[in-house]
Amino acid sequence: MVDNQLWGGRFENPLNPNAFALGQSIYLDIRLLPFDIAQSRAYLQALGDANLVPRDLCIKIAETLNEIEREYFEGTLVIEDTDEDVHGLIERILVQRIGAEATTIRMGRSRNDQVATDLKLLLRNAAGDIQVNLTTLIRIIAQRSEDLVNVYATSYTHTQRAQPIVFSQELLKHGFALSRNVDRFTDWHKRHNTLPLGAGASAGNSLPINFEALAGALNFDSLAFNSLDATSSRDFVSEFLFICAQISIDVSRISEEIILWSTREFGFVTLPDEFSTGSSLMPQKRNPDFAELARGKTGRMIGNLVNILTLLKALPFGYNRDLQEDKFPVFDAIDTLNLVLPVISGMVRDISFNRETIEQSVNHGHILATDIAEWLVSQGIAFKEAHDIAGQLVVLAESLSLDVSELTFEQFKSVSKVFEPEIIEVMKVRRSIDNRTSPGAASPQMVKEQIARLRNLS
Ligand code: ARG
């Protein structure tokens, strides 16, 4: 039996070393240390207030907790190979520096309610950091959209040219998609801001502690409502990982566009040197590796979500050691987003938009065909017939290697007698764009409203 083990009274033989290695989580969960210290401080205060720990011992323990935290941040804290996890490590040091009486801080508390509390504290912190990274990106998107309010472009459906828009619309869509993730973290926080500490190992805590004050001290709204749920539910982790996966998916769609738009075939954007790589063989290359990596990491982010969901499926309630595995996907998801989001922000901030190439995209692809059909409807023609006539005009234009907007009035007339000279005005991209005035539409006026809204959100 190892000296600094948190249990062992009923065992005669020491743990098999391979089994110890399998159970050891210290090198991963050391990252919980600041949060474990924070909850220990609050718990110590609660024990002290209830006169369960003498005042001088309280002071000694509090000071040693401060020391351990300081050493952790300075990088001088020594992890020993016999430390099983972060909770055991902290107790080992408390005992080494104060003596066995320091273990009173463990009274009424189990690693089961302790680790759930640590993880909630860590996730709350991480959610805040990710929200900051997201709002920075959203703000940059709003800023860059302003430069593009007068740049005409085509929208795409099925990656085929569709209808005229101003190019800001393409950026803004990402801003709104991302902003919902900021909201998701806020909702997540509301739903899960209950304190597991007090649930004990499984059945609750019998000490005369002021649990409301304890919850308040750690900024939780209340104690968790059921001790078994509190110690063995991790839906706060799976929901968190869903939000992270969704962010990654949203970012992968930004990345995909950066990659596609920077191709010679599109040529809509040029990546700055700071966010491009060359090729070891082909001297001409300017590759979008970082957008590709951001896109590629999405596989891992979705994997992290699947990881926790699989871990939880059919898991009996009451703590099971399986739950120790929850930290791998969580830490990976947080680190990945904190690495990727600033890079995407930098890329969007510094990328150049090639106005001329973007605007050329409106000239081919018959993107005003819908406007022809809508004009015909305004003349009292049924939509189906209007759609057919516009389709015939596309066929005519294609046979002449023209865009539908380049046809003459006579050519329009040759397909349908209904056409008036006004149709030549209808075939102006600007008119088409300005006419779209529904909320969220791609006209300069409605895009400006979107920018203002997005700025308010970020
Ligand atoms: N290291 C463990 C974890 O991360 C702490 C809880 C251990 N509890 C137990 N009953 N063995 O989940």
Side-chain angles (χ1 to χ4, degrees):
M1 194 190 320
V2 185
D3 268 357
N4 56 9
Q5 198 167 271
L6 298 176
W7 43 270
R10 59 159 295 167
F11 294 98
E12 281 174 19
N13 296 321
L15 199 56
N16 172 288
N18 292 328
F20 178 77
L22 175 62
Q24 189 181 39
S25 58
I26 185 66
Y27 296 106
L28 185 68
D29 65 23
I30 186 69
R31 191 166 164 170
L32 295 174
L33 188 136
F35 305 99
D36 206 72
I37 298 271
Q39 74 153 292
S40 292
R41 250 185 221 130
Y43 194 64
L44 182 68
Q45 177 78 41
L47 292 175
D49 290 348
N51 295 319
L52 294 164
V53 181
R55 211 180 133 61
D56 56 336
L57 181 57
C58 268
I59 293 171
K60 268 196 250 170
I61 296 177
E63 281 172 1
T64 311
L65 289 173
N66 291 345
E67 269 171 34
I68 297 172
E69 186 180 46
R70 197 173 334 112
E71 289 165 26
Y72 172 79
F73 284 116
E74 285 170 2
T76 52
L77 188 79
V78 179
I79 297 178
E80 291 187 357
D81 279 340
T82 50
D83 289 324
E84 182 191 335
D85 62 17
V86 66
H87 324 291
L89 172 137
I90 292 173
E91 182 164 306
R92 167 180 63 78
I93 301 177
L94 287 174
V95 170
Q96 280 171 349
R97 298 189 189 172
I98 299 171
E101 71 266 32
T103 58
T104 33
I105 195 180
R106 207 210 293 169
M107 159 173 39
R109 191 164 64 145
S110 154
R111 283 183 294 167
N112 300 351
D113 57 349
Q114 205 171 335
V115 76
T117 302
D118 286 355
L119 204 52
K120 274 198 177 177
L121 290 170
L122 179 136
L123 288 186
R124 247 177 17 188
N125 221 44
D129 289 348
I130 299 170
Q131 279 182 319
V132 169
N133 274 327
L134 281 176
T135 44
T136 303
L137 175 54
I138 294 168
R139 206 169 320 116
I140 290 171
I141 287 174
Q143 262 159 22
R144 295 306 313 266
S145 302
E146 271 180 3
D147 312 337
L148 302 165
V149 171
N150 296 311
V151 177
Y152 295 155
T154 175
S155 65
Y156 293 84
T157 66
H158 311 271
T159 328
Q160 305 285 326
R161 290 181 183 179
Q163 292 177 306
I165 58 171
V166 294
F167 202 65
S168 315
Q169 186 80 345
E170 293 282 21
L171 265 68
L172 288 165
K173 67 190 187 213
H174 293 302
F176 287 104
L178 288 169
S179 75
R180 288 192 293 277
N181 295 308
V182 178
D183 296 346
R184 283 186 182 109
F185 277 126
T186 306
D187 293 343
W188 169 87
H189 180 268
K190 261 187 239 150
R191 185 160 34 257
H192 295 295
N193 203 32
T194 56
L195 176 63
L197 188 59
S202 68
N205 186 312
S206 58
L207 300 173
I209 288 175
N210 181 345
F211 286 105
E212 252 174 40
L214 179 63
L218 289 167
N219 285 321
F220 285 94
D221 299 327
S222 69
L223 223 62
F225 307 119
N226 177 293
S227 62
L228 287 171
D229 180 40
T231 46
S232 46
S233 288
R234 291 292 184 273
D235 57 317
F236 70 93
V237 177
S238 41
E239 258 187 81
F240 182 94
L241 288 176
F242 165 72
I243 304 171
C244 292
Q246 184 60 52
I247 292 170
S248 192
I249 288 169
D250 292 339
V251 165
S252 78
R253 297 178 83 180
I254 301 178
S255 305
E256 171 65 10
E257 274 178 0
I258 291 176
I259 294 161
L260 194 67
W261 289 348
S262 64
T263 57
R264 179 105 220 172
E265 285 70 13
F266 267 83
F268 287 0
V269 296
T270 308
L271 269 178
D273 288 0
E274 290 81 351
F275 294 100
S276 307
T277 51
S279 156
S280 54
L281 191 146
M282 301 167 280
Q284 83 283 11
K285 294 284 266 179
R286 173 185 288 279
N287 290 331
D289 285 30
F290 305 108
E292 291 166 30
L293 281 164
R295 185 178 60 180
K297 295 220 182 260
T298 311
R300 251 174 61 203
M301 297 297 283
I302 296 169
N304 287 331
L305 173 61
V306 174
N307 183 337
I308 187 77
L309 293 174
T310 313
L311 185 74
L312 296 176
K313 180 190 173 289
L315 191 69
F317 271 84
Y319 179 85
N320 293 280
R321 192 62 176 271
D322 313 45
L323 291 172
Q324 179 163 298
E325 293 290 309
D326 60 4
K327 292 164 208 69
F328 288 95
V330 163
F331 294 166
D332 185 65
I334 295 168
D335 293 344
T336 304
L337 286 186
N338 286 332
L339 199 59
V340 165
L341 287 172
V343 174
I344 295 294
S345 289
M347 241 187 259
V348 176
R349 185 192 58 221
D350 296 346
I351 205 165
S352 33
F353 293 99
N354 306 327
R355 182 181 187 133
E356 269 177 30
T357 328
I358 295 170
E359 291 205 316
Q360 271 164 21
S361 69
V362 304
N363 297 332
H364 305 282
H366 313 294
I367 63 175
L368 290 162
T370 311
D371 298 77
I372 299 174
E374 284 178 1
W375 182 85
L376 287 166
V377 168
S378 77
Q379 304 302 300
I381 311 263
F383 187 75
K384 185 184 172 350
E385 197 188 333
H387 191 283
D388 283 350
I389 295 171
Q392 286 164 35
L393 283 157
V394 169
V395 173
L396 173 65
E398 281 190 343
S399 73
L400 300 167
S401 298
L402 293 173
D403 185 79
V404 83
S405 62
E406 294 173 305
L407 294 174
T408 62
F409 176 56
E410 286 67 35
Q411 286 164 331
F412 271 96
K413 265 288 207 219
S414 73
V415 170
S416 168
K417 294 277 164 272
V418 183
F419 285 112
E420 304 283 342
E422 190 197 359
I423 193 65
I424 298 305
E425 282 315 300
V426 173
M427 289 297 92
K428 298 276 188 291
V429 166
R430 178 184 191 112
R431 180 186 172 283
S432 165
I433 290 176
D434 286 345
N435 270 349
R436 294 194 199 283
T437 51
S438 62
S443 58
Q445 181 201 348
M446 300 324 277
V447 155
K448 280 180 196 156
E449 283 187 17
Q450 292 185 50
I451 294 173
R453 179 183 293 268
L454 205 55
R455 280 194 185 285
N456 271 340
L457 292 179
S458 58

